[in-house]
Amino acid sequence: MPEVLKAPLVVEFPFTRSLGPVQSAFLTGLRERLVLGVRTADGRTLVPPVEYDPVTAEELHELVEVAATGTVTTWAWNHAPRRGQPLATPFAWVLVRLDGAGTALLHALDAPGPDAVHTGMRVRIRWAENRTGAITDIACFEPHDGEPGRPGGERQESDGERVTGIVAPARLDYTYSPGRAQSAYIEALSTRRTVGERCPSCRKVYVPPRGACPTCGVPTAEQVEVGPRGTVTTFCIVNIKAKNLDIEVPYVYAHIALDGAGLALHGRIGGIPYDQVRMGLRVEPVWTDGARYPDHYRPTGEPDADYDAYKELL
Amino acid sequence: MTREETPGVRDIAIVAFAQTDVLRTTDELSEVEMLMPVLHSVLDRTGLKTADIGFTCSGSSDYLAGRAFSFTLALDGVGAWPPISESHVEMDGAWALYEAWTKLLTGDADTALVYSYGKSSPGSLRDVLTRQLDPYYVAPLWPDSVALAALQAQALIDAGEADESALATIGTRSRRVATLNSHAQLRGTVPQGDYAVRPLRTGDCPPVGDGAAAVILAAGERARELCSRPAWIRGIDHRIEAHSLGVRDLTDSPSTRLAAERAGVFERPVDTAELHAPFSAQEIVLRKALRLDDSVRVNLSGGALAANPMMAAGLIRMGEAAARIHRGESDRALAHATSGPCLQQNLVAVLEGDAR
Ligand SMILES: [Zn+2]
């Protein structure tokens, strides 16, 4: 059995999110070093503010200012900060109830060590130098032994627009492994061969193989080499040029049933004008130097396959 | 809800359960390759073929796989062609079980296959799970799953309801009883270890692993045909806490208590409980919410501290509780599943065997 393949896979996405009136006010406030909460019907002040009461589901909109100082309600010492977290040096995760608020906000506390942190300790916000209207405008909390701050006490007016959205970038790193069946398929492609797997029950050959027959729900294991030639079973004409793809439009994208395969795979058809591609056209793969899969398929020049020969594979 | 509240509804039972061994890595297997033996095993136990199943519901998460619509590939394992009656939840399989139970209640099907799986090994689970947090106020800070559980543990310590040695006892007991569970990932003596995020040590945290599980549900007489002692679902309910952690009392789990009430847990004592408590402190919170005293056998499987395959660990709690009833080792069992940070969402089921 060939070795199972592995490769790094990075998933990165900048989520663009719009804000409702409450979140917009809160994040605009942070940019101006002002912390806003929202008042519930029973007189509690929720910080950070939300648009609906978590108990009654009533819509909330009465914004109130709270102080930049507060009290730690619980904490946890993080000796090994991870990527993206607020501080790169060891810090405490804290829930902080700001003075004037009835609920607590999650953030980081910059402290020399776990012995310097306890529930009930007094802290204040350390503002980020460059504030954009995001929760990270609070750089972190720091210990504070002075008087409780005043609501809005540190406000710094900015002439920026109201914050109506955030862009939340996210990156996750994976080590992808396609598993046994697909590893074998990719290994074979490196020697320009295409292998599928035969279902022990219905005898169909799956290309690319995934280790299971979707009709019978049983594992497949018997490797079968298919192709290299095949038959176009159906196709479409692509008229829109994809970004970062230097293929001239229009071109044909087709389902190709490789000889011996029990279902068709996808491929681009080249070497023939796009409007002459047809069902039943016999094709073969064209490899380019150093490629890991066929660049496209071109006509073999054989007579077209009989419809009955591929109708089950449409 | 419980059956008593809705007279005339059908009896529905878990009639079979199967799970994989939970392993730190399963590189050689794709998801469907990992899942398939479990599907075959659970079907074999009832003699059913995939074509006989009325409804299929699965649970998994694209964020673990790092790939969109990843569950569609796993469908190959149930023989999804020609098309079957099928559905998916982007959650633990316990919630897929809830959906399947609802479908059986309607009378549209007599049997259901529920499966779930998760491979945590390809990614960094602590980072991956941050993406399920509030995207405006919390996720941009990347607080990982262990850090959030540590806040909950410290709140419990501050409230005088636990200390670090009490937490350690829970992890130690879980792994000791897991020696009898060949599927568990951590078994026997495991050092309590260094702080992961203080106050939690590595021994207070679940192992990261890959695994899958499946159960078959059946209604009424069909259940009796398929299993000599079906585990009847007498009640099942799930509830959720407020989204923001700072709004909640982290030392309590009112959503678990409410789900338990609605599922009928408090009507009669249970003899067995399978709790989904990935972190040691959470077992204390759940025991309190569910009013479990020492007369109840809790997590004889070793629980999530011995094996916590994401998206399957909750369904495994349902399956383990049911299997004890099948084997005659329990007459009335509680099964609990959780999802999200600090016991955010909680599902509770009451399972009973026929009187002996
Ligand atoms: Zn087959």
Side-chain angles (χ1 to χ4, degrees):
Chain A
M1 180 160 101
E3 217 169 294
V4 170
L5 300 173
K6 284 187 192 185
L9 171 69
V10 177
V11 178
E12 250 179 319
F13 41 96
F15 264 127
T16 305
R17 296 180 175 276
S18 54
L19 304 172
V22 171
Q23 291 175 314
S24 169
F26 177 68
L27 294 180
T28 304
L30 292 187
R31 198 181 59 194
E32 299 181 359
R33 307 213 299 194
L34 173 76
V35 187
L36 294 174
V38 70
R39 189 103 70 185
T40 62
D42 62 357
R44 289 175 309 140
T45 299
L46 309 179
V47 180
V50 291
E51 286 157 347
Y52 296 92
D53 188 306
V55 179
T56 65
E58 213 175 320
E59 191 169 347
L60 302 175
H61 36 71
E62 188 194 342
L63 296 163
V64 289
E65 298 178 10
V66 299
T69 54
T71 304
V72 170
T73 64
T74 189
W75 63 285
W77 186 255
N78 183 25
H79 64 85
R82 304 169 76 81
R83 188 178 69 200
Q85 294 181 344
L87 294 166
T89 50
F91 67 89
W93 288 107
V94 281
L95 281 167
V96 174
R97 192 170 54 235
L98 293 170
D99 297 329
T103 62
L105 171 86
L106 178 75
H107 221 293
L109 169 68
D110 189 6
D115 295 340
V117 186
H118 61 273
T119 296
M121 80 182 283
R122 297 284 299 159
V123 295
R124 73 168 169 218
I125 290 174
R126 181 190 295 165
W127 294 103
E129 198 107 331
N130 298 312
R131 295 181 305 282
T132 60
I135 192 67
T136 45
D137 288 355
I138 298 175
C140 62
F141 283 88
E142 59 191 22
H144 171 67
D145 50 14
E147 293 293 302
R150 286 176 297 112
E154 294 185 87
R155 182 162 196 181
Q156 197 173 73
E157 294 282 349
S158 80
D159 45 10
E161 297 269 298
R162 193 180 162 86
V163 180
T164 56
I166 57 167
V167 179
R171 175 189 164 129
L172 295 171
D173 287 73
Y174 298 89
T175 303
Y176 182 68
S177 173
R180 176 202 57 80
Q182 294 186 80
S183 285
Y185 173 75
I186 294 167
E187 286 282 0
L189 279 182
S190 68
T191 56
R192 299 191 173 186
R193 292 178 308 121
T194 301
V195 299
E197 284 184 355
R198 192 189 305 280
C199 171
S201 173
C202 67
R203 310 299 293 162
K204 237 181 198 171
V205 175
Y206 286 93
V207 189
R210 297 214 175 88
C213 172
T215 308
C216 308
V218 298
T220 58
E222 185 196 338
Q223 278 186 19
V224 180
E225 187 165 341
V226 298
R229 293 183 168 191
T231 303
V232 171
T233 62
T234 185
F235 63 94
C236 65
I237 299 166
V238 180
N239 286 292
I240 297 172
K241 201 169 162 66
K243 211 171 151 187
N244 306 324
L245 197 66
D246 60 347
I247 298 170
E248 286 309 314
V249 291
Y251 66 86
V252 171
Y253 205 68
H255 273 188
I256 300 156
L258 295 180
D259 294 347
L263 80 169
L265 44 68
H266 309 244
R268 181 169 64 89
I269 306 297
I272 178 173
Y274 73 91
D275 56 358
Q276 289 176 29
V277 175
R278 55 201 181 267
M279 289 171 75
L281 181 71
R282 296 284 297 159
V283 293
E284 63 190 4
V286 177
W287 291 82
T288 51
D289 280 345
R292 290 179 292 181
Y293 49 87
D295 179 70
H296 64 276
Y297 289 79
R298 70 175 170 218
T300 61
E302 294 166 274
D304 285 3
D306 196 40
Y307 179 68
D308 285 340
Y310 62 86
K311 68 178 182 189
E312 296 292 327
L313 303 175
L314 277 175
Chain B
M1 66 177 178
T2 62
R3 274 188 62 255
E4 285 75 6
E5 290 169 18
T6 44
V9 303
R10 339 164 76 190
D11 284 315
I12 294 161
I14 298 176
V15 295
F17 167 57
Q19 59 182 317
T20 61
D21 292 348
V22 181
L23 302 169
R24 180 62 190 90
T25 58
T26 49
D27 291 341
E28 71 290 356
L29 300 174
S30 65
E31 277 92 342
V32 66
E33 289 167 325
M34 179 175 76
L35 184 60
M36 219 160 4
V38 170
L39 296 173
H40 286 273
S41 160
V42 80
L43 287 164
D44 287 349
R45 272 161 215 215
T46 56
L48 292 170
K49 302 260 179 298
T50 50
D52 304 329
I53 295 289
F55 179 65
T56 296
C57 192
S58 61
S60 67
S61 170
D62 281 353
Y63 279 78
L64 297 174
R67 210 169 58 235
F69 294 102
S70 58
F71 78 95
T72 57
L73 296 180
L75 271 176
D76 287 353
V78 292
W81 181 264
I84 57 172
S85 178
E86 175 274 331
S87 173
H88 175 256
V89 298
E90 190 75 9
M91 276 193 91
D92 189 291
W95 276 262
L97 184 150
Y98 187 92
E99 181 174 328
W101 175 78
T102 311
K103 175 85 170 175
L104 295 184
L105 277 187
T106 67
D108 280 357
D110 292 330
T111 53
L113 169 64
V114 177
Y115 65 88
S116 65
Y117 63 92
K119 286 182 65 162
S120 301
S121 57
S124 166
L125 186 63
R126 285 171 68 175
D127 300 322
V128 168
L129 292 180
T130 63
R131 299 303 94 191
Q132 69 182 349
L133 302 169
D134 165 6
Y136 302 98
Y137 299 156
V138 182
L141 306 174
W142 292 82
D144 60 276
S145 47
V146 179
L148 296 174
L151 288 169
Q152 185 169 34
Q154 184 64 42
L156 214 58
I157 290 169
D158 287 335
E161 295 187 41
D163 55 26
E164 288 191 27
S165 78
L167 298 183
T169 306
I170 292 168
T172 304
R173 194 211 63 235
S174 299
R175 279 126 195 182
R176 191 179 62 237
V177 296
T179 51
L180 299 172
N181 176 359
S182 63
H183 301 295
Q185 187 178 344
L186 282 187
R187 287 179 285 164
T189 307
V190 174
Q192 187 58 3
D194 295 329
Y195 284 120
V197 178
R198 184 170 167 169
L200 292 181
R201 295 177 182 272
T202 52
D204 293 307
C205 303
V208 175
D210 301 351
V215 305
I216 289 177
L217 302 180
E221 280 310 303
R222 198 80 181 94
R224 291 181 206 282
E225 289 163 25
L226 297 172
C227 179
S228 58
R229 194 168 193 250
W232 301 105
I233 300 174
R234 294 304 184 199
I236 184 167
D237 198 274
H238 63 104
R239 300 284 158 166
I240 183 170
E241 304 285 339
H243 200 168
S244 173
L245 288 175
V247 169
R248 296 166 47 186
D249 172 3
L250 294 177
T251 68
D252 198 7
S253 184
S255 60
T256 299
R257 187 178 299 112
L258 182 57
E261 264 168 30
R262 301 289 294 164
V265 170
F266 303 127
E267 289 164 14
R268 283 186 299 285
V270 296
D271 55 44
T272 299
E274 278 287 333
L275 306 181
H276 187 194
F279 296 91
S280 55
Q282 294 174 344
E283 185 177 311
I284 297 174
V285 175
L286 290 172
R287 278 176 181 263
K288 183 172 67 171
L290 294 165
R291 300 177 209 153
L292 300 177
D293 60 27
D294 291 342
S295 70
V296 181
R297 292 165 296 188
V298 173
N299 284 357
L300 292 181
S301 62
L305 284 161
N308 190 41
M310 295 307 298
M311 305 301 140
L315 183 61
I316 289 172
R317 306 279 77 72
M318 303 288 142
E320 286 280 2
R324 279 180 203 282
I325 289 171
H326 297 160
R327 295 196 297 263
E329 295 163 12
S330 166
D331 293 320
R332 181 170 155 92
L334 179 158
H336 161 267
T338 196
S339 181
C342 300
L343 302 173
Q344 188 183 14
Q345 313 189 47
N346 295 286
L347 180 148
V348 176
V350 179
L351 307 175
E352 281 182 359
D354 286 325
R356 289 178 288 187

